[in-house]
C-alpha cells in the first residue's frame, strides 16, 4: 500500500463518522424541558412530522430536515417561516450531498475536488450552526449544543489536512518517478 493511501482511509473513516453525525444529537434538551420530554416519551412533540417527545430529547440533523421539509410545504401563510425552512433544507441537503461526493472523489483519488466539496461541507455546517444560534434555538432554556453541532467543523479541518498531505505526497511521488 502506498503511503498516501492511509489518508484516503482516514478520510473515508471521517466520512462514515460524518454520516453517523446526521443521526447524532445536534440539539440536546436541558433542564425542565428535558424532564418533561422524558416523563411522557410516547406523546407527540410535533404531530405533523411524527416526532415524539422521546425523539425530541435529542434532535438530530435528519429530524431537523423532516421539520424543514414540512415547513417548506406548509401553506398556513407564514411566509417567513416557509422561507427559513427552505434555506435550512437547502443547507442540510448541501451538507449531505457534500459528504456523499467527498466519499466518491476520495475513492476516485481526486484530491483537489475533495478539497472543494470539503469547503462546501464546512460552509454548510457553519451556515447551519450560525442560523440555529442566530434564531435563538440553541442555546436556550430548552436546548443546548449536541455533538453534531461541533462535529462537521472538526471533520472539515481533518479532511483538509489529509487532502493537502495526499496532494503533496502525490506530487513528490510523481517527481521521483520523473527523475
Amino acid at each position: 500500500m502506498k503511503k498516501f493511501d492511509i489518508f484516503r482511509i482516514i478520510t473515508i473513516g471521517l466520512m462514515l463518522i460524518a454520516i453517523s453525525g446526521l443521526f447524532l444529537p445536534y440539539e440536546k434538551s436541558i433542564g425542565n424541558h428535558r424532564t418533561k420530554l422524558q416523563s411522557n416519551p410516547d406523546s407527540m412533540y410535533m404531530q405533523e412530522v411524527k416526532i415524539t417527545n422521546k425523539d425530541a430529547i435529542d434532535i438530530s440533523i435528519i429530524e431537523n430536515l423532516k421539520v424543514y421539509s414540512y415547513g417548506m410545504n406548509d401553506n398556513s401563510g407564514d411566509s417567513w417561516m416557509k422561507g427559513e425552512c427552505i434555506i435550512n433544507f437547502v443547507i442540510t441537503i448541501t451538507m449531505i450531498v457534500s459528504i456523499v461526493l467527498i466519499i466518491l472523489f476520495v475513492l476516485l483519488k481526486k484530491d483537489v475536488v475533495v478539497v472543494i466539496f470539503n469547503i462546501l461541507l464546512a460552509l454548510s455546517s457553519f451556515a447551519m450552526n450560525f442560523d440555529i444560534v442566530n434564531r435563538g434555538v440553541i442555546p436556550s432554556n430548552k436546548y443546548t449544543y449536541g455533538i453534531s453541532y461541533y462535529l462537521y467543523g472538526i471533520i472539515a479541518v481533518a479532511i483538509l489536512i489529509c487532502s493537502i498531505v495526499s496532494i503533496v505526497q502525490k506530487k513528490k511521488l510523481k517527481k521521483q518517478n520523473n527523475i
Side-chain angles (χ1 to χ4, degrees), residues 68 84 87-88 91 126-137:
Y68 301 145
E84 187 73 29
I87 290 167
N88 282 296
I91 290 171
F126 294 141
M128 183 185 302
N129 290 352
F130 173 79
D131 178 72
I132 203 159
V133 169
N134 192 47
R135 285 185 291 131
V137 177

Side-chain angles (χ1 to χ4, degrees), residues 136-147:
V137 177
I138 56 176
S140 69
N141 62 345
K142 292 184 177 184
Y143 286 95
T144 191
Y145 310 99
I147 189 168

